[in-house]
Amino acid sequence: MSWLKRTSILALTLALLVTFVACAADDTEPVDGEEPIGTVSVMGVWGAGEIEPFEEVVAAWEADTGGTMEFEGTRDLSAILRARVSGGNPPDLAILPNPALLQDFAGAGDLIALDDVLDMGALGDDYADTWIDLGTVDGDLYGVFIKAATKSTVWYNPANFNAAGYEIPESWDDMIALSDQMVADGTAPWSIGIESGGATGWPGTDWIQEILLAESGPDVYDQWVAHEISWTDPAIKSAFEKFGEVALAEGYVPGGADAILATPFQDASYLPFQDPPQAHMYFLGAFTQGFIAGQFPDLVPEDDYDFFKFPYVDAAYMGAVTGGADVVVMLNDTPSARSLMRHLATADAWESWAAAGGYSSPNRSLDVSVYPDALAAKAAEQLTESAIFRFDADDLMPSEVQNAYFAGIIDYLQQPDRLDAILGEIEAVAAEAYAQ
Amino acid sequence: MRPRLATIAWLYVLPAFVLLGVFLVYPVANTVYLSLFSGRDTSAFVGLDNYRYLLTHPETVIVLRNNLLWLVLFTAASVGLGLILAVLSNQVRYEAIAKAIIFVPMAVSFTAAAVIWRFMYIYRPPQFEQTGVLNAGMAALGFDPVPWITNTTLNNYALIAAGVWMWTGFALVVISAGLKGIPTEVLEAARVDGANEVQIFWRVILPMLRSVMLVVAVTLTINSLKVFDLVYVMTFGNYQTDVLANRMFKEMFTFGNFGRASAVAVVLLLAIVPLMLLNIRRFRREQ
Amino acid sequence: MARVHFENVTKRFGDFTALRDFNLEIEDKEFLVLVGPSGCGKSTALRMLAGLEDITEGSIYIGDRRVNGVPAKDRDIAMVFQSYALYPHMTVFDNIAFGLRLRKTPKDVLTTKVKEAAEVLGVDSLLDRKPGQLSGGQRQRVAVARAIVREPRVFLLDEPLSNLDAKLRVHTRAEISKLHKRLGTTFVYVTHDQVEAMTMADRIAVMNEGIIQQVGSPQELYDEPVNVFVAGFIGSPAMNFFEAEVVEDGGGVSLDGDGFSVDVPDDRAEEMRPFLGRRMIFGVRPENIHDEHFVPSGITAAPTTVKVDVTEPMGNEVFLHLLAGKTKLLARVDPRTKMSADDEVEVVIDMERMHVFDPESREAVRG
Amino acid sequence: MAREVAALSRQERLMRSLSRGPVNVAIIAICLLWMLPSAGLLVSSFRPRNDIATTGWWTAFKTPFEFTLANYEQVLTTQGMAQSFVNSLIISVPVTVFVVMVAAFAAYAFAWMELPGRDAIFLVVVGLIVVPIQLTLIPVLRMFSSAGMTGTFPAIWLAHTAYGLPFAVFLLRNFFIALPKDLLESAFLEGASHTRVFLRIVMPLSVPSLAALAIFQFLWVWNDLLVALVYLGGFRSVAPMTVTVSNLVSSFGSEWHLLTAAAFISMMLPLAVFFALQRYFVEGILAGAVKG
């Protein structure tokens, strides 16, 4: 009986608390005009190792304005953000992992146009047109790209290369020849892993995109992204087949297709740097440096690990680079949110993160010398100096298509003979999705 | 007296009704309505198109197949193992410990369970040292390692195994409770009547546990149809492991296709309702 | 030959000894009742005989076969449980037929036998029902039918009547006796109720604290209980006990109790002489205390003055709760008695029927 | 059957242990199998990052031993971990109490009061067990934001309470209806009101099944990620353990060393609760599921 009494008292207390908290939650809404800066909520996919440097980026703004930033991290950003937007409770700012989401939300009218928030002239100076275009929907700018990574990087161990007398390949054919040489010497040339939980397959799409751009050039690439050419186009098929030349060739990848499918991409990056090396090369974006440095803290950048640019297939597209980036968008138009948005659009804000490592800026104004080591600087340069830059294609496609594309990579590795059928299936999904 | 009594009764159920109405009944009604519309903005009425898609599209047919697989294997394995363990552990002195061990996974979140099982299923190419228990076992036995999660003929079973690991404890505890409810004298009577232990199990214990087993089976069947977290965390439905609840989540939140997502939800509801009725009918009969 | 023989059987549950050096021979076709208060080990003995408990020490024989370690199913016994233990998921027919089915009895034989057994017990109209739809009495009958249908060599009954109401119990008692005569099988029957034991048994084994106190026919136990326990257990209402000193009284012998005194009749006086000056335990059954006005002829009167505490008229007799000094006595007297509460009256105790026990060993003393 | 025999003749004891042999082997084997996954998690959580990625956890028992508390240190000192532990309690405990209270009232009405169409209504309520909660997220979130309740604890209390109700009503009603009728009727005869009977007789008698329900409910809410993420958001000030733990993983790849330690930390309280209340739990299940 006393148990019951206690619970009823508890319930009563809680009921009072409900009213209290509910009231307390209400008074954060700001009024129009240049009001005092309050709390800004920011949602993103970042987790450990990324939240802390971002907080440092925001620290200067907090110190200047007296505002505070609360970061909401979730791995499944698109789902949670969609739920929150649909529910009428979006965060103030969101850091989207790809422009497709930006287009999706902007198209549905969920984002705030930034043209009168930011100094558009200064922005034009800081960013290449590619980046401005990617953030623009129907003539209005909705997002600013803040953290980018080149994806055209092939990681290798210079010490091993030197010892074996291997040359860095410049063309696709050189690379295949080198790979054959490595097989003959007894070590697998490549390490590939595409496992990534719910997003398994994406490291494979990076290969396809890189090859397509290096072989067929930016125009075909753009048509493909815009679905102006079919997925069954010979250019696409050729990119898949070239990927297969590496991924499915006998002796090229330890464990073959099964291993590629089942190995987490992060784990795969370790193989060239183990002693003895289990493979010689690993292709994935610039962020791979972080994996290697984390797993092998004793290795020295440039001496023990380095990257070379992904080779060209058609010499006409020799300098082509693909990459990805996170874009910050605004969902609630409050003075606080505007203030933080302006801060994040400046190059200076990001210097602390750039200096801390694991960060490349798409902003031309950021001084290359702030990067902690030559590799990070080299990666950032590849991004800002490239003759041809194209954004990671699958991140620009509708999510159904992206999903089918990932699945297509998996299917292709399991059943390469079905390539035509697989491309046909993706095309069917694309035809429907782009029609909407 | 009568009307006042009814008023009090309504007061008793009122809080539950309000909560259920707002948080469950209204969303369900809304879902059924939305399932008849198409697209992201759910503006165009398309009748049963979403259902047609669901029941005919190759990708979603696999989803239905997988749910069926879950329904049969997950339920059968959990109930079967629970029954066997209940009967066996009833004969040993360390019964409580054994039951607690089997039950522990029930207290584990799906996120933690997914971590645990991805750890079990880790695959590395044959020439490397295996870091996953299962593949290390395969290697020790001289077999090639198996990519449990990505191999499309095995991965559904691998996921179901993780589900069975989590839910057998529930089946065990309930069936064991039922087993304790069988009067010892009835078993002794059977023994005196000339039955051996195997005959006692099949002809006395099993029939007497029927209603308990039915409750467990129905609960687990509903769980098998609603299975979401394990698939969501471990494969997100990739490699042909998708299930209805995950598909719904994907359609709704990843693709933003509310109409189709609602249709998936309605199919899920329709699949479960008969089971629920079965369960309730049983309770009615026993009263 | 279905003799049953317990030979030096001991049963321990951990530190607790349920049965100590138990020896008992049960003759073929005998109706033997094991009786005693709850916890005396009678059920344990029966369950060991059935094969439901292991035997810690000693041997049990059914016929000439030592059955230690033989599973219940191979002992050719049948048992009726206190709770009847019917299979709730089977019909009455299937309940009765279960044991026969296990023995692969041909179908036509099985049907005939089940019907026969059901008829004997009067449950032939219930064959299609399930136990849940039966009354307590019907269930009990089905349980018995299930036991007899297999024609076992020994028939075990564990308190089969304790869940029935009083009237049905009396009725069923007679039925079981009849059944025993009809079947001609060895019956071992366990009960805590001495009335059941007295009315049905050929022989009774009285048990207490895991030890057999006395084995004998009902009349032997009633007339010549070997100790205080048996004397108090057998007979209803129970025997009166009182302690008294044996004293010399003018050539005769009398008993000097607490606040009352009673003479010992001459023919038993000699028997008492060796105990002169000692306090002994004396037992007198209530039916051996009479109203002085209605003393049956032929008994040796030993009048005593007592006070009536309560009277309980039963119609055919009257129970008098008496106070003799500090000693409480219960008397079962003629219904015509005029005695009423608080009266100081004379009662006559039939001291020829008195029982004498040693106060230390509590064993009966024989002259 | 339940009684164990301590003293048997040597021969019989031997026979018995021989016949029990396979049973023991089977049970112990299955128990070991069941512990294997969790054991791997536990051992791994004490291994250095590099070792986890390259060798199996069982190799940790080979010399040289390399165990470390660094993973736990890193997880526990992660900003907001202590706060999120408190948040998890702030979410789970009230929800558990609410569910038990609200469901108990409703279950009592369904079991012992006269309501028009009582059984049909009960059927609908229990039928709601089947609703996948994912489909309620958006409509409910809309309501919360128009009420200005998103990101507050009361919002998630209400939502979780509602989600837990169908099962809770189902379980408790089955238990209540199995209570001896005489007991309640004699109380009514003595003039007790429904409220009095409910509070003074039914609730105290039902402690085991209330406890069983409370454990279930607590485990579910404690382990929930989705509902918390959607209604509460990932703010440190309100985020529960599950959200914080899932944020330990960076946007790239799998940090096993942190995940294993974090997963184990998140399991500890539920396990402690379960073991502490295990007895009630089994009794409650028995009452609810078996008696009907």
Side-chain angles (χ1 to χ4, degrees), chain C residues 71-288:
Chain C
K73 67 190 177 71
D74 300 328
R75 293 192 181 191
D76 201 5
I77 45 154
M79 183 157 169
V80 177
F81 291 84
Q82 181 172 5
S83 65
Y84 316 137
L86 298 178
Y87 311 117
H89 57 290
M90 298 182 194
T91 61
V92 168
F93 183 94
D94 291 334
N95 260 286
I96 299 174
F98 187 69
L100 295 176
R101 289 222 168 97
L102 291 171
R103 283 172 180 72
K104 307 236 178 323
T105 313
K107 205 162 182 194
D108 47 334
V109 179
L110 179 139
T111 311
T112 322
K113 284 193 170 183
V114 171
K115 289 212 165 124
E116 250 175 47
E119 259 168 57
V120 170
L121 274 302
V123 292
D124 44 334
S125 60
L126 308 172
L127 288 174
D128 294 330
R129 299 215 197 150
K130 290 206 174 163
Q133 300 161 300
L134 303 179
S135 72
Q138 289 170 330
R139 282 183 216 185
Q140 197 263 355
R141 285 158 177 278
V142 174
V144 175
R146 179 175 69 177
I148 66 168
V149 74
R150 290 200 347 253
E151 297 163 17
R153 294 201 299 170
V154 182
F155 200 69
L156 312 179
L157 301 99
D158 188 0
E159 308 241 9
L161 305 183
S162 60
N163 285 338
L164 299 181
D165 64 52
K167 203 169 171 189
L168 200 54
R169 204 177 303 167
V170 173
H171 175 72
T172 314
R173 234 159 47 195
E175 301 243 308
I176 290 180
S177 291
K178 263 168 35 193
L179 194 65
H180 174 240
K181 289 198 181 66
R182 174 177 176 150
L183 295 176
T185 313
T186 311
F187 272 44
V188 183
Y189 186 110
V190 162
T191 180
H192 64 273
D193 180 355
Q194 61 92 25
V195 178
E196 282 176 29
M198 298 293 281
T199 50
M200 294 192 281
D202 292 332
R203 278 196 309 152
I204 298 174
V206 181
M207 294 182 62
N208 190 32
E209 293 179 348
I211 295 170
I212 294 192
Q213 307 289 320
Q214 188 174 6
V215 184
S217 71
Q219 202 58 48
E220 276 167 18
L221 295 184
Y222 181 84
D223 291 339
E224 293 163 31
V226 295
N227 57 27
V228 173
F229 178 81
V230 176
F233 194 82
I234 299 291
S236 172
M239 185 184 283
N240 298 296
F241 295 103
F242 57 89
E243 283 194 21
E245 194 182 337
V246 183
V247 293
E248 184 84 49
D249 179 19
V253 174
S254 70
L255 307 179
D256 193 359
D258 298 329
F260 77 103
S261 160
V262 59
D263 293 336
V264 179
D266 293 344
D267 51 347
R268 293 200 70 178
E270 278 314 302
E271 192 188 317
M272 290 293 104
R273 287 206 180 274
F275 307 116
L276 277 174
R278 282 183 61 186
R279 276 180 85 84
M280 303 296 284
I281 298 175
F282 295 88
V284 177
R285 295 197 183 275
E287 49 270 40
N288 295 333

Side-chain angles (χ1 to χ4, degrees), chain D residues 121-151:
Chain D
I121 299 172
F122 177 67
L123 224 141
V124 172
V125 169
V126 173
L128 291 173
I129 288 178
V130 306
V131 176
I133 57 171
Q134 296 93 335
L135 78 78
T136 69
L137 297 180
I138 288 176
V140 171
L141 197 58
R142 274 190 196 138
M143 281 184 288
F144 280 151
S145 53
S146 61
M149 285 177 75
T150 40

Side-chain angles (χ1 to χ4, degrees), chain B residues 183-197 199-200 202-208 210, chain C residues 47 50 52 72-73 77-79 81-90 98-99 101-103 146 150:
Chain B
T184 322
E185 289 199 335
V186 174
L187 303 182
E188 290 178 341
R191 221 158 280 159
V192 172
D193 263 345
N196 60 35
E197 298 303 313
Q199 287 168 325
I200 289 176
W202 286 107
R203 301 174 78 158
V204 180
I205 294 181
L206 209 54
M208 287 180 76
R210 210 181 50 192
Chain C
R47 292 167 56 81
L52 300 173
K73 67 190 177 71
I77 45 154
M79 183 157 169
F81 291 84
Q82 181 172 5
S83 65
Y84 316 137
L86 298 178
Y87 311 117
H89 57 290
M90 298 182 194
F98 187 69
R101 289 222 168 97
L102 291 171
R103 283 172 180 72
R146 179 175 69 177
R150 290 200 347 253

Side-chain angles (χ1 to χ4, degrees), chain A residues 1 4 14 18 25 41 45 47-48 50-51 55 70-75 83-84 86-89 265-266 287 295, chain D residues 50 53 79 94 138 141-142 145 150 152 154 157 199-200 229-230 233-237 247-254:
Chain A
M1 203 46 2
L4 197 78
L14 290 172
V18 171
S41 58
V45 293
E50 291 159 320
I51 294 178
E55 282 174 337
E70 275 210 86
F71 189 81
E72 264 188 283
T74 163
R75 298 269 275 153
R84 295 276 291 275
S86 304
N89 178 44
F265 62 93
Q266 190 171 5
F287 44 78
Q295 182 70 12
Chain D
N50 197 354
Q79 256 188 315
I138 288 176
L141 197 58
R142 274 190 196 138
S145 53
T150 40
T152 63
W157 288 338
L199 292 178
R200 291 288 160 96
L229 212 47
V230 173
F235 299 127
R236 268 190 196 142
S237 53
N247 279 344
L248 275 174
V249 186
S250 73
S251 53
F252 290 115
S254 38

